[in-house]
Amino acid sequence: MADRVRRKIRVLFAASEAVPFVKTGGLADVAGSLPRALKHAGAKVAVIMPKYGNIPWEYQEKMEHISDFYVPLAWRNVYCGIEKLTFNGVDFYFVDNEAYFKRDGSIYGYFDDGERYAFFSKAICEAISRVPELACDVVHCNDWQTALVPVFLREFYREIPVCQNVKVMFTVHNVKFQGQYSDKVLSDVLGLENIPAAVDQLYCDRDSINYMKGALCYSDIITTVSPTYAGELQMPFYGEGMDPIFRRRADALVGILNGIDTIDWNPKTDKFIAANYDVKDLADKAENKRLLQEEFGLAQDPDRPLVVMIGRLTNQKGLGLVRYAMGQLMERGVQVAILGTGDADQEEAFRYFDSVYGDKMAARIAFDNALSHRMYAGGDLLLMPSEFEPCGLSQMIAMRYGTLPVVRETGGLKDSVAPYNQYTGEGTGFSFANMNADEMANCLLNACEIFWTDKETWAKLQKQAMAADFSWKRAANDYLDCYHRLHPEIIRYNKRRD
Ligand code: ADP
């Protein structure tokens, strides 16, 4: 082995979205806060992401042009600018190509997404090889949009000295989204058609190419966002066709539970909520509840348990169970408030409930960050009966606000919520095992029973939930251990957990 050196390990964190620039889901929260925690834990970190047209102007105008070059993409050479902005002490680099990334509306969902993110992945490799400040020891890729980085690095860049010792970590945030395209992309976009090893590892069905499969085969280490999900990925039910690869690569697969941004999500200092409170004194949480009931047009009654749900309205989130149980919950005097956007049929169903259940049920079909803060603060319970949930952030945020989660025992929900144990008094929420609406309703109504009849236990559970540590520090240390596993010649700059 080469001589060992003590220095900061250099990590290039590649993601397709990051808070505060652009967000569609939990990945953006992770990319917005993990790098900062990695920096504190002793890594030298830079983040690279696309420069989307809809990044707020206040950020775009501060970006500094660092470099530009052309990226070879099969038969074309495509312009790529690299712009830089330091935010909260972390250097963010933006891959600029207006034809790909300056679009109206959402950041995903275009006919050429396969080409857009192949370009992004190739641009990352090209940037590592050309821009000295992006030279790194590890590229940390996230989800299918960056999945071709390890493939390109190995097949096209391994002869380039600065790329030779770059290792790749690939993190699976959700295996449902894999980036699967017609095999025409091999010759038309990826330029890999004459490399049999690549062709072999990218093919998934007879005539389609799967970007994530490439990452799972080519990366040096694979992580996912909770230990339970790391186990689930190896099962056919959860693996979405990739389970044989996860089983084959089980030695390289690590589950690390995400954290949350404890500065953004802090009931003591949260500027979006009317009454701040903390774990020592929750009295003012009641005022947030009253205001939330008022805002949603729900009966302003402190004795009604207010169940909030915040998230994408898709099948993944177990909404079928909620729809089935809604009538029963309404009859029992539970209030439900939902914030989310997603599949048309789900949106329609919750709009319908809103219209028929008067002051008991309300749905806001929107993406509204400020409202989500008010809901985390004003709710009594947060319901998250997901069919699968790689990590889930909402339940952790809810706990931080003393809003007790009711979750199905899957993925990160299982790893982050300690179910109430009536014998020991332990717990930070409530959980149930099966995708069964009656089981979910029972679990939720049992929680409500405690809310109605045992205020002391309720208050204790709230305090326990608020005291749980969901900061990024623990996760950052675990990621750093993994980076160093890939580079045993680099000695950790900071001691673990110092
Ligand atoms: P996923 O990544 O599957 O979408 P997570 O629970 O991991 O789910 O993360 C979702 C994040 O997005 C949370 O921070 C949640 O508060 C936020 N969020 C989801 N939907 C909305 C919405 N409609 N309005 C505001 N915030 C939302």
Side-chain angles (χ1 to χ4, degrees), residues 23-27 29 174 265 310-312 316-317 339-341 366-369 372 376 384 389 391-395 397:
K23 166 169 168 171
T24 69
L27 170 61
D29 291 294
N174 190 340
W265 300 108
I310 299 147
R312 291 180 295 114
Q316 173 197 338
K317 301 291 176 181
L339 168 65
T341 55
F367 194 98
D368 186 336
N369 182 48
S372 79
Y376 287 119
M384 218 166 156
E389 194 61 71
C391 175
L393 300 175
S394 294
Q395 82 283 7
I397 300 170

Side-chain angles (χ1 to χ4, degrees), residues 161-189:
V162 285
C163 297
Q164 268 166 4
N165 205 23
V166 175
K167 307 284 185 198
V168 181
M169 174 188 281
F170 182 72
T171 299
V172 179
H173 294 262
N174 190 340
V175 78
K176 192 117 187 155
F177 308 109
Q178 299 177 351
Q180 195 164 319
Y181 299 98
S182 142
D183 60 359
K184 291 191 181 64
V185 296
L186 270 178
S187 56
D188 190 43
V189 179

Side-chain angles (χ1 to χ4, degrees), residues 401-415:
Y401 283 74
T403 301
L404 298 179
V406 176
V407 301
R408 190 174 92 80
E409 290 155 12
T410 182
L413 298 176
K414 187 169 178 187
D415 293 334

Side-chain angles (χ1 to χ4, degrees), residues 295-365:
E295 179 172 359
F296 271 104
L298 300 168
Q300 288 180 50
D301 179 351
D303 293 327
R304 290 277 172 103
L306 173 51
V307 177
V308 295
M309 292 183 73
I310 299 147
R312 291 180 295 114
L313 301 181
T314 64
N315 291 342
Q316 173 197 338
K317 301 291 176 181
L319 300 172
L321 307 192
V322 183
R323 287 162 65 170
Y324 181 93
M326 190 62 80
Q328 192 187 349
L329 299 180
M330 298 291 101
E331 252 171 50
R332 296 287 298 272
V334 176
Q335 291 181 340
V336 177
I338 292 191
L339 168 65
T341 55
D343 299 344
D345 62 322
Q346 302 286 10
E347 293 185 352
E348 202 40 54
F350 290 105
R351 273 201 198 97
Y352 168 76
F353 289 136
D354 181 317
S355 69
V356 293
Y357 288 122
D359 63 0
K360 297 191 194 111
M361 198 280 161
R364 293 286 175 276
I365 308 301

Side-chain angles (χ1 to χ4, degrees), residues 79 83 88 120 151 169 175 192 204 222 245 291 301 326 346 362-363 368 378 418 468 485 498:
Y79 170 83
E83 317 236 323
N88 274 343
F120 178 47
V151 183
M169 174 188 281
V175 78
L192 287 165
C204 76
I222 303 165
I245 306 179
L291 289 168
D301 179 351
M326 190 62 80
Q346 302 286 10
D368 186 336
R485 209 169 114 185
D498 46 348

Side-chain angles (χ1 to χ4, degrees), residues 19-36:
V19 165
F21 307 108
V22 58
K23 166 169 168 171
T24 69
L27 170 61
D29 291 294
V30 175
S33 34
L34 174 59
R36 198 167 5 141

Side-chain angles (χ1 to χ4, degrees), residues 48-326:
I48 190 160
M49 63 180 285
K51 186 186 174 197
Y52 298 106
N54 52 1
I55 293 176
W57 182 243
E58 58 175 302
Y59 300 120
Q60 290 201 39
E61 68 177 352
K62 292 195 196 107
M63 291 178 189
E64 178 197 351
H65 185 82
I66 295 287
S67 179
D68 50 75
F69 42 79
Y70 281 81
V71 176
L73 214 53
W75 50 268
R76 32 177 126 44
N77 274 326
V78 186
Y79 170 83
C80 173
I82 300 288
E83 317 236 323
K84 179 179 177 182
L85 175 68
T86 304
F87 183 79
N88 274 343
V90 176
D91 294 333
F92 285 81
Y93 293 84
F94 296 85
V95 169
D96 181 24
N97 176 298
E98 295 198 345
Y100 286 137
F101 299 128
K102 193 172 178 187
R103 305 225 170 147
D104 295 335
S106 172
I107 58 174
Y108 311 126
Y110 299 97
F111 73 97
D112 59 348
D113 278 1
E115 182 179 326
R116 295 168 74 221
Y117 290 101
F119 163 75
F120 178 47
S121 298
K122 196 83 178 281
I124 293 169
C125 301
E126 202 64 34
I128 294 171
S129 72
R130 286 172 182 267
V131 183
E133 56 196 281
L134 291 177
C136 58
D137 303 301
V138 179
V139 199
H140 184 160
C141 299
N142 294 276
D143 275 353
W144 74 268
Q145 296 91 341
T146 52
L148 291 174
V149 171
V151 183
F152 289 145
L153 263 186
R154 176 98 54 90
E155 301 300 354
F156 295 126
Y157 293 85
R158 67 180 154 199
E159 303 298 335
I160 298 174
V162 285
C163 297
Q164 268 166 4
N165 205 23
V166 175
K167 307 284 185 198
V168 181
M169 174 188 281
F170 182 72
T171 299
V172 179
H173 294 262
N174 190 340
V175 78
K176 192 117 187 155
F177 308 109
Q178 299 177 351
Q180 195 164 319
Y181 299 98
S182 142
D183 60 359
K184 291 191 181 64
V185 296
L186 270 178
S187 56
D188 190 43
V189 179
L190 313 185
L192 287 165
E193 73 281 15
N194 295 321
I195 304 178
V199 172
D200 209 40
Q201 297 183 80
L202 283 166
Y203 259 104
C204 76
D205 292 330
R206 214 155 44 88
D207 50 10
S208 63
I209 292 301
N210 188 309
Y211 289 10
M212 186 179 278
K213 183 164 177 262
L216 299 181
C217 294
Y218 275 77
S219 297
D220 298 288
I221 191 165
I222 303 165
T223 70
T224 189
V225 289
S226 68
T228 295
Y229 195 55
E232 290 172 345
L233 285 171
Q234 298 173 52
M235 304 172 188
F237 180 78
Y238 294 98
E240 298 285 339
M242 294 293 126
D243 47 293
I245 306 179
F246 286 115
R247 288 197 294 278
R248 176 160 61 76
R249 301 224 54 202
D251 287 347
L253 176 62
V254 181
I256 300 174
L257 189 70
N258 281 338
I260 53 171
D261 189 319
T262 48
I263 297 171
D264 278 359
W265 300 108
N266 183 354
K268 194 173 176 180
T269 52
D270 193 328
K271 294 199 171 50
F272 292 114
I273 67 177
N276 291 108
Y277 58 95
D278 64 13
V279 65
K280 287 193 216 94
D281 183 5
L282 274 90
D284 284 343
K285 187 168 164 56
E287 176 63 2
N288 293 303
K289 176 172 174 178
R290 194 189 63 75
L291 289 168
L292 190 64
Q293 286 172 322
E294 184 179 55
E295 179 172 359
F296 271 104
L298 300 168
Q300 288 180 50
D301 179 351
D303 293 327
R304 290 277 172 103
L306 173 51
V307 177
V308 295
M309 292 183 73
I310 299 147
R312 291 180 295 114
L313 301 181
T314 64
N315 291 342
Q316 173 197 338
K317 301 291 176 181
L319 300 172
L321 307 192
V322 183
R323 287 162 65 170
Y324 181 93
M326 190 62 80

